[in-house]
Amino acid sequence: MNKLTTIESHFLQQQKLYPEVNHEVTDLLHDVAFAAKLVRREVVRAGLADILGLAGTTNVQGEEVKKLDLFANEKIISAIGQHGRFALMGSEENDSVIVPPKNDTGNYVLLFDPLDGSSNIDVNVSVGTIFSIYRIKSDDPGKASLDDCLQKGAEQIAAGYVIYGSSVVMVYTTGHGVHGFTYDPTIGEFLLSHENIVTPERGKYYSANEGSWHEFNEGTKRFLDYLKEEDKATGRPYSTRYIGSFVADFHRNLLTGGVFIYPATKKHKNGKLRLMYEANPMAFICEQAGGRATDGERRILDIQPEELHQRTPLYIGSKHDVLIAEEFEQGKR
Ligand code: AHM
Ligand code: MG
């Protein structure tokens, strides 16, 4: 039988191998994995909301039923915030930075999207939690400010996501490869299932919301047309796969190879996805797995953020495919 590796023992292995992955960092990751278990517990029961009480109403026990994304947000803030390891937190669900209790002891900042793709929950489609960790710039956690949150993605010390799908998988990186763990509900542990994920150099899938065709610019349209042309030498046509849940689309493309695009459109002039909560953590993971992530011109991880909820166009996935997307976006093809 294979030796089982829990996520906690994997964190400790990383701690032994890499000096910058110190016990503070592994404690933070441990907190995130724990919070993910709490969110999972509710997500897998989402279909029961109709029976136990619709969101916004009271359930049979007379308790108020919260919308799952708000529930996930509150759980993550309370489960992680209470340990005093983070000076500040930022969530896609909160307009401004969150100051956790005991914030004067934490040297780190946590940015997260508690339940990405939450509009898919009612139809039983996979959703996910995405997170990103930075070290504060000053030596005094009590003085941490918005500036400590607005760091370039290249400064992340760890990032990851949890996908609540047919199984629950947590994927993370500390800058030393990308590792995936599948949750075993019988023992309540995430177990190593995808060691050192390497994404294919070139994929066979593309993921884009082509319903927005008339809102795309000419470069995006030409790129999508190119992917659909037949050319055996370059493996075209590619197949379309679009779930509309970023974590799920990203996770599939990471494992099988492919390119996900959410470009600037007439409706979403700066793209739809958030730089700090979605693009940066996934770009860090993607690059660590050998892929590429840009806004069509710039490396995502090099963008200096100006505000917490900033949006960005996003081209992410297999290196070769993202490079071609950029050439179309830049009018070179
Ligand atoms: P949300 O933050 O409102 O959940 O939106 C993010 C989601 C992503 O999960 C997904 O990639 C994208 O929106 C889909 O957008 P669209 O429906 O425009 O294709
Ligand atoms: Mg989101």
Side-chain angles (χ1 to χ4, degrees):
M1 201 178 116
N2 289 338
K3 188 173 158 280
L4 296 179
T5 304
T6 64
I7 201 164
E8 283 80 9
S9 55
H10 198 266
F11 295 156
L12 295 176
Q13 281 174 21
Q14 295 253 310
Q15 192 178 311
K16 280 192 194 131
L17 288 170
Y18 310 110
E20 78 280 14
V21 188
N22 56 33
H23 75 91
E24 280 187 307
V25 176
T26 56
D27 283 349
L28 306 176
L29 289 167
H30 188 277
D31 284 356
V32 174
F34 176 68
K37 290 181 194 176
L38 299 179
V39 176
R40 182 212 75 95
R41 198 172 62 182
E42 292 307 307
V43 169
V44 297
R45 297 171 70 244
L48 294 169
D50 281 348
I51 303 164
L52 302 177
L54 284 168
T57 64
T58 36
N59 66 17
V60 285
Q61 283 97 34
E63 301 153 337
E64 197 197 331
V65 181
K66 289 223 158 63
K67 287 181 111 184
L68 262 188
D69 42 4
L70 297 182
F71 171 87
N73 194 41
E74 284 177 18
K75 271 288 169 228
I76 293 171
I77 294 170
S78 62
I80 296 181
Q82 65 183 340
H83 292 139
R85 291 177 183 137
F86 287 102
L88 290 175
M89 295 162 85
S91 161
E92 201 193 276
E93 296 286 343
N94 292 62
D95 288 341
S96 35
V97 288
I98 303 156
V99 183
K102 296 198 275 174
N103 71 313
D104 54 348
T105 54
N107 290 312
Y108 297 86
V109 168
L110 176 74
L111 302 181
F112 64 99
D113 183 351
L115 214 52
D116 182 67
S118 52
S119 61
N120 286 313
I121 288 175
D122 290 347
V123 288
N124 222 354
V125 166
S126 302
V127 290
T129 300
I130 313 173
F131 67 92
S132 193
I133 299 174
Y134 297 82
R135 201 183 155 84
I136 56 169
K137 291 187 280 184
S138 67
D139 292 333
D140 183 355
K143 292 199 180 121
S145 69
L146 180 60
D147 264 2
D148 292 285
C149 300
L150 297 180
Q151 300 189 48
K152 289 181 187 171
E155 306 294 334
Q156 289 172 100
I157 57 156
Y161 62 87
V162 182
I163 175 168
Y164 310 100
S166 49
S167 55
V168 176
V169 175
M170 176 161 166
V171 172
Y172 85 98
T173 185
T174 56
H176 301 284
V178 179
H179 312 285
F181 301 78
T182 302
Y183 186 70
D184 182 341
T186 62
I187 54 170
E189 296 280 5
F190 281 104
L191 301 174
L192 182 62
S193 51
H194 300 73
E195 192 165 23
N196 249 322
I197 298 171
V198 176
T199 200
E201 174 95 17
R202 175 190 289 228
K204 50 186 177 187
Y205 297 129
Y206 74 94
S207 311
N209 183 349
E210 287 195 281
S212 302
W213 183 265
H214 294 292
E215 298 193 9
F216 289 156
N217 65 37
E218 289 311 308
T220 305
K221 288 181 184 171
R222 283 202 312 278
F223 175 57
L224 293 171
D225 278 339
Y226 164 87
L227 293 174
K228 283 180 271 203
E229 282 164 16
E230 197 170 346
D231 177 41
K232 284 212 171 76
T234 51
R236 290 176 291 149
Y238 280 27
S239 290
T240 316
R241 292 284 186 277
Y242 192 70
I243 297 171
S245 187
F246 181 45
V247 177
D249 280 313
F250 177 84
H251 184 66
R252 180 202 52 249
N253 289 356
L254 181 74
L255 298 182
T256 61
V259 54
F260 173 99
I261 69 167
Y262 207 114
T265 66
K266 284 182 192 148
K267 183 170 162 203
H268 299 289
K269 298 225 167 353
N270 298 314
K272 180 181 182 193
L273 299 182
R274 305 313 210 280
L275 175 64
M276 307 305 287
Y277 305 114
E278 290 155 340
N280 269 338
M282 296 311 212
F284 187 20
I285 292 167
C286 190
E287 286 196 4
Q288 280 294 313
R292 183 175 174 90
T294 74
D295 69 352
E297 296 199 353
R298 297 172 293 176
R299 180 181 177 230
I300 291 289
L301 298 181
D302 285 339
I303 299 175
Q304 176 61 55
E306 278 157 19
E307 50 179 324
L308 216 43
H309 293 274
Q310 181 169 336
R311 296 176 194 264
T312 178
L314 182 61
Y315 302 79
I316 189 165
S318 293
K319 198 180 255 175
H320 171 268
D321 302 333
V322 174
L323 276 166
I324 293 194
E326 285 167 62
E327 287 177 10
F328 277 103
E329 289 300 332
Q330 293 169 15
K332 293 179 183 158
R333 281 182 181 244

